Amino acid sequence: MTFELPPLPYALDALAPLMSEETLSYHYGKHLQAYVAGVNRLVANTPFAAMTLEKIICTSDGALFNNAAQVFNHTFFFETLRPAPNAIGTELRRTIERDFGSAEAFKAQWLQAATNLFGSGWTWLVQEADGRLAIRNYADADNPLRENVTPLLTADVWEHAYYIDYRNRRTDYLEALWQLTDWGIVEALRIKFAAA
């Protein structure tokens, strides 16, 4: 299986001014492309070559895991962004209120977790096996796929995700990212996996 750079669901300049075309050109066009190339190079002539990306993540380690997980993480990240803000839907809001107390409390916890993640990594909203939502931080390339949880939303807090636009102001970047989140996709993922 050969992995390819997944197409963005919007133009490179569509998220500006909250996320610039320059940032997307580097983050998507260079960083993600390098991870895709890395996976293809590392799986060549190995049993991993016939596996899905998710299977590779769950069964590999070292450089192959890092590259495969970063392809998954970045693809998930880019696919849950949208140029025009949309509101959290009714059903998702009810679930958030059940598990975090309120949408405002969820946002505050989300921003705090992502701001306080030391170094590079990812903050994820996940749905646990019992259906409850939780916020989890993962260092470096790690992600929820090796655990019995369903990923719903992620924030990339590697510096390359925000340094062009926000320099060292991670919280400002996260506030902007909140405005770019496609809550419809988050809800669709929650419903899909709740029914599985």
Side-chain angles (χ1 to χ4, degrees):
M1 177 179 296
T2 300
F3 297 97
E4 297 181 357
L5 185 68
L8 285 176
Y10 38 77
L12 285 173
D13 63 353
L15 304 181
L18 297 175
M19 187 178 292
S20 69
E21 181 175 359
E22 183 181 10
T23 287
L24 271 178
S25 294
Y26 277 93
H27 195 184
Y28 166 78
K30 297 196 182 302
H31 286 279
L32 178 52
Q33 179 62 67
Y35 292 127
V36 170
V39 172
N40 285 325
R41 178 176 45 81
L42 292 165
V43 301
N45 303 311
T46 74
F48 292 106
M51 295 182 186
T52 65
L53 190 64
E54 292 79 4
K55 184 73 171 170
I56 293 170
I57 291 167
C58 291
T59 59
S60 67
D61 55 22
L64 179 54
F65 169 79
N66 288 331
N67 281 269
Q70 287 291 65
V71 171
F72 178 87
N73 295 351
H74 281 89
T75 301
F76 200 105
F77 173 76
F78 290 127
E79 288 180 351
T80 54
L81 301 179
R82 62 178 278 136
N86 65 352
I88 298 173
T90 304
E91 290 304 314
L92 180 58
R93 180 175 291 275
R94 285 189 187 128
T95 306
I96 287 170
E97 289 170 350
R98 179 195 72 194
D99 297 338
F100 296 99
S102 68
E104 295 74 21
F106 164 59
K107 180 181 178 184
Q109 290 177 46
W110 175 259
L111 293 176
Q112 181 179 30
T115 299
N116 293 338
L117 177 61
F118 182 77
S120 299
W122 300 82
T123 297
W124 290 84
L125 174 66
V126 300
Q127 184 169 272
E128 297 181 331
D130 64 2
R132 299 193 70 78
L133 302 181
I135 297 169
R136 295 192 182 183
N137 279 341
Y138 295 88
D140 300 325
D142 207 2
N143 66 44
L145 291 185
R146 292 187 188 214
E147 301 176 339
N148 190 27
V149 296
T150 300
L152 300 177
L153 178 67
T154 193
D156 184 346
V157 292
W158 284 65
E159 286 186 344
H160 66 244
Y162 59 89
Y163 219 80
I164 290 171
D165 296 331
Y166 296 95
R167 299 298 185 253
N168 64 335
R169 301 186 324 273
R170 184 187 282 188
T171 302
D172 291 350
Y173 154 72
L174 293 166
E175 285 280 1
L177 198 59
W178 186 267
Q179 296 177 57
L180 295 170
T181 298
D182 190 335
W183 295 106
I185 290 178
V186 176
E187 173 67 350
L189 288 168
R190 189 191 69 78
I191 292 170
K192 173 184 174 183
F193 291 108

